[in-house]
Amino acid sequence: MKAPLILFLVTTVLPVFFGRIRSAPFWLTLQGVALAWAGAASHGSWSAHALAALAEVLLVRALIAPQLLRRAVRGRAEPDLELMPSNLFAWAIAITLIVLAFEFGAPALDDRHALTLGTVGATVAVALLLLAVNDAPPAQLVAVLFMENALALFESLLPEPWPLPVHVALGMIYLMTIGVGAWLIGRPDAPVHAVADAASEGKRP
C-alpha cells in the first residue's frame, strides 16, 4: 500500500515545485494511476464493486480529465509557465505545509493510515497554496483537480469502500469540474496585438 501512496505524493510535490502548466495533464494521469492502484489495494478482493470503482478512476481521472485539460491548455496558446512561481518564500511555505501535514497524520493508528493522512493533507495544503500564489486559470483548475483526487484517496482510510452510487456521483462531479473548467480556460480573450492587427487590416484601402 505504501508504493501507490508514495507515487501519489510524488505526482503532487514534483509538478508544484518543478512542473509547468503544459506538463500538468501528465501528472494528473499518474495521479489517476496511483489512485487506481491504492483503491485496488484497499478493496482487497476483485468484486464487481471494486472493478467498477477501478474502471471509473482509470477512465475519468487518468484518461478523460488529462485529455480535456491538455486540449484546453493548448487552445490558450500561452507561454508554458510554472505551476507555482519559483521563489524561496513560496517554496518555504510549501515545504512547511507538507511537513505539518505529515505531523498531523503521525498520531494515526498505523503506518499506512499515517502515510495516507499525510499524503491527503499535503495534497490539499499544496493545492490551496497553488490557488493562492498563481491566478492563472489553468493552474487554478489543476489545484482544484488535485484536491478532488485527494478526496478520492481519502476513501482508502474508510473501513468499507463508498457505495457504488457514491463513486458514480463523485465521478460525475469530477467530470463536470474538468468539463466546465476546460471550457472556461479554453476560451481566452483575444490578445491585444491580434485585435490591433485586425483593426489595421480593416483600415487599409
Side-chain angles (χ1 to χ4, degrees):
M1 183 64 183
K2 290 184 178 180
L5 293 176
I6 292 173
L7 176 60
F8 189 94
L9 183 62
V10 167
T11 61
T12 300
V13 174
L14 285 185
V16 171
F17 281 99
F18 307 109
R20 295 182 175 272
I21 289 178
R22 290 183 184 175
S23 66
F26 168 75
W27 296 108
L28 280 174
T29 297
L30 287 185
Q31 271 195 2
V33 172
L35 278 174
W37 189 0
S42 64
H43 279 83
S45 60
W46 291 104
S47 62
H49 183 178
L51 290 174
L54 180 65
E56 181 267 329
V57 170
L58 289 175
L59 181 63
V60 174
R61 299 175 189 266
L63 183 61
I64 296 178
Q67 288 295 330
L68 290 176
L69 179 62
R70 182 177 290 109
R71 183 183 304 173
V73 170
R74 287 178 177 173
R76 292 181 68 87
E78 293 179 343
D80 191 16
L81 302 176
E82 297 173 325
L83 272 176
M84 187 169 71
S86 54
N87 61 72
L88 187 59
F89 182 69
W91 281 26
I93 294 177
I95 293 171
T96 302
L97 290 175
I98 293 171
V99 172
L100 289 176
F102 279 94
E103 287 295 326
F104 173 76
L109 297 177
D110 54 37
D111 292 341
R112 182 180 71 84
H113 284 74
L115 183 58
T116 305
L117 278 176
T119 303
V120 171
T123 302
V124 172
V126 169
L128 289 174
L129 177 63
L130 183 57
L131 286 171
V133 302
N134 193 341
D135 60 355
Q140 298 264 306
L141 180 58
V142 170
V144 172
L145 296 177
F146 275 15
M147 284 193 287
E148 291 199 13
N149 283 340
L151 176 63
L153 180 63
F154 185 76
E155 182 192 3
S156 62
L157 289 173
L158 302 178
E160 295 292 335
W162 283 321
L164 191 57
V166 177
H167 278 291
V168 174
L170 289 176
M172 293 299 296
I173 292 173
Y174 195 85
L175 272 177
M176 289 177 61
T177 302
I178 183 60
V180 173
W183 178 75
L184 289 174
I185 69 174
R187 297 169 58 89
D189 295 333
V192 176
H193 63 80
V195 176
D197 291 343
S200 63
E201 288 290 337
K203 290 180 180 179
R204 289 179 183 176

